[in-house]
Amino acid sequence: MTDANTATTGADWGAWQESWDRQQEWYMPDREERFTIMLDMVEALVGTAPRVLDLACGTGSITARLLTRFPQAVSTGVDLDPALLAIAEGTFAGDERVTFVTADLKDPQWPALLPYDSYDAVLTATALHWLHSDPLAALYGRVAELVRDGGVFMNADHMIDDSTPRINAAERAQRHARMDRARTAGALDWAEWWQLAAKDPVLAGPTARRFEIYGEHADGDTPSAAWHARVLRERGFSEARPVWSSPSDTLLLALK
């Protein structure tokens, strides 16, 4: 991210963060809006100096926005992807507010690797749809044990209501037409972004390991917001409901 960091590692972490953001925005043009609402609700419910678990943190997109808005916050990022973690660790190198943990969220023992026993907020975005419903429900139970009483969990992700197939089809058609227009303007998709990472001298090794772990893409389930809210209540949260939505995505908040 800085000249010194680039000189030391050979990677421009700021440029990789920017590239990741642009690639993600191709899929989700309202991505920043959901982050803003997420942090609004963090402030409303747990204040401006929270201890946060950035769950399936990727490059640290949530952590970056969290620390910009709340400089007194601390963040633990947890992920399994070695390439995205390399970008995250390079970006936040030397920032004592941030810790990264490599862990598989399907492993029941992953919370033991964290530096804290409890968190004010657990936040995640566009990540848990690679889990199927049963392991996701189990994960929600473990998250509930990590969130302190009065703390929050928020998940912004694809949440599809199968009871509205015509609405879903129309939304999908419009979204893909917009994405096609953006592609003609030069937007990178997921596969092209990873092709660039594989060619980078610093990220080539972590990217190869990433594909050994995940393959091309992990496809899980995308149950409805109502399913998420119900399961979160069953697994230990007292309240749960959407606090933001787009035609395809929802930000679901659960209060301990």
Side-chain angles (χ1 to χ4, degrees), residues 55-245:
L55 191 69
C57 64
T59 66
S61 299
I62 290 174
T63 292
R65 289 154 180 81
L66 172 79
L67 297 180
T68 296
R69 179 158 169 177
F70 307 129
Q72 296 182 12
V74 296
S75 178
T76 304
V78 59
D79 208 303
L80 187 61
D81 189 312
L84 298 185
L85 278 174
I87 296 172
E89 290 167 348
T91 299
F92 296 97
D95 192 329
E96 296 182 352
R97 298 170 296 176
V98 184
T99 304
F100 290 104
V101 173
T102 301
D104 184 348
L105 297 180
K106 291 183 288 186
D107 179 353
Q109 303 305 315
W110 70 266
L113 301 173
L114 301 176
Y116 303 105
D117 293 331
S118 68
Y119 289 85
D120 301 307
V122 177
L123 309 176
T124 189
T126 324
L128 300 188
H129 60 269
W130 55 266
L131 287 173
H132 290 288
S133 296
D134 286 346
L136 179 56
L139 176 64
Y140 279 172
R142 288 188 277 276
V143 168
E145 294 175 353
L146 288 167
V147 175
R148 68 162 173 83
D149 288 346
V152 298
F153 167 69
M154 280 182 271
N155 178 16
D157 211 342
H158 311 308
M159 299 184 187
I160 307 302
D161 187 340
D162 290 333
S163 71
T164 59
R166 290 187 297 161
I167 295 173
N168 299 348
E171 181 280 322
R172 187 179 187 278
Q174 184 182 57
R175 174 161 43 89
H176 279 263
R178 173 191 54 75
M179 291 167 67
D180 289 343
R181 292 192 296 271
R183 288 278 285 146
T184 63
L188 293 177
D189 67 12
W190 170 268
E192 290 169 328
W193 190 91
W194 282 109
Q195 289 169 9
L196 289 179
K199 295 175 183 177
D200 183 87
V202 176
L203 289 178
T207 297
R209 293 194 297 275
R210 184 252 178 229
F211 280 94
E212 290 174 1
I213 295 169
Y214 293 107
E216 287 300 317
H217 195 275
D219 291 319
D221 297 329
T222 54
S224 68
W227 180 94
H228 287 270
R230 175 179 59 79
V231 171
L232 284 162
R233 288 191 296 267
E234 291 173 351
R235 296 294 171 134
F237 289 91
S238 61
E239 300 178 16
R241 71 167 177 86
V243 291
W244 174 93
S245 65

Side-chain angles (χ1 to χ4, degrees), residues 28-47:
M28 299 165 290
D30 46 22
R31 183 168 176 256
E32 290 301 326
E33 183 179 336
R34 76 189 63 192
F35 286 143
T36 297
I37 299 301
M38 178 181 282
L39 296 181
D40 284 348
M41 298 311 296
V42 167
E43 181 173 0
L45 289 163
V46 297

